[in-house]
Amino acid sequence: MRQAPVTTIGFDADDTLWQNERFFRATEDRFLDLIADFGDRATLATRLFAVEKRNIPLYGFGIKGFMLSMMETALEASDGRLAPAVVADILAMGRDMLSQPVELLPEVRETLEALSDRYPLLLITKGDLGDQERKLVQSGLGGLFRAVEIVSDKSDATYARVFAARGDGPERGLMVGNSLRSDILPALAAGAFAVHVPHELTWSYEHVEAAVAHPRLFVEEHIRKVADRIEIINASGDDLTK
Ligand SMILES: [Mg+2]
């Protein structure tokens, strides 16, 4: 009997299941207002992004690292003349982000509920451990996943490991996410299928310059279309898996 190519489905969380980047953008705007005395806005924004990128290997992804990068950018831009009140404001902005209520994207719950009847679902996300756990609890989606993997970064090896441990291996896994860099390219490299569901806001770090084409890659404009896409892949049989 022919086996369905896809048996296990992985989902990214931030900007795939719930809003995330919009809170970073809003905080960045407030931050740039706060340090407006120390340079022009575009230069300060570029500087912040450079500091964030430099700090990823040290702090990882997430709000706490972002807070430290804002602090560092402000200190650098002000030549160390930063008022303590500004430091307090930066810390307060970070705490606001960490207590921001979770806002599910449209039709996420219905989509996951329908899929979870037929497939084991995995949540595969990077970021601050405690913050991602908090958002998952608040989302009320936790019970729909067979397993939750909060990882420090998403590489080929991450997807190979997770789909092997929690499914039938990467070749029979499918990853759904908004980031080409973190969700799609490494999942494809691991041998999995991938469905890219772009979000209108995506952090510069996650952008990929080149157009991507791959026999196992599909693009859907809305998460509600993911279930149909998987049915099409599975109905086409295992020739796609070669
Ligand atoms: Mg994402």
Side-chain angles (χ1 to χ4, degrees), residues 12-18 20 125-126 154 177-179 182-183 206:
D12 168 54
D14 290 340
D15 296 315
T16 297
L17 304 184
W18 51 64
N20 178 66
T125 177
K126 61 180 160 64
K154 291 167 153 181
N178 73 299
S179 167
S182 296
D183 305 320
E206 306 287 358

Side-chain angles (χ1 to χ4, degrees), residues 54-113:
R54 188 170 78 210
N55 283 337
I56 285 169
L58 295 171
Y59 305 146
F61 296 89
I63 294 170
K64 285 182 280 183
F66 182 52
M67 290 165 74
L68 290 168
S69 293
M70 288 193 288
M71 205 85 82
E72 190 173 328
T73 305
L75 281 167
E76 277 182 16
S78 69
D79 285 327
R81 291 175 290 116
L82 201 60
V86 176
V87 176
D89 283 347
I90 294 170
L91 291 171
M93 290 191 295
R95 282 194 302 271
D96 282 354
M97 289 181 81
L98 288 165
S99 55
Q100 186 71 43
V102 170
E103 201 178 309
L104 288 187
L105 290 165
E107 295 179 59
V108 160
R109 177 179 304 281
E110 298 86 327
T111 302
L112 294 184
E113 281 172 354

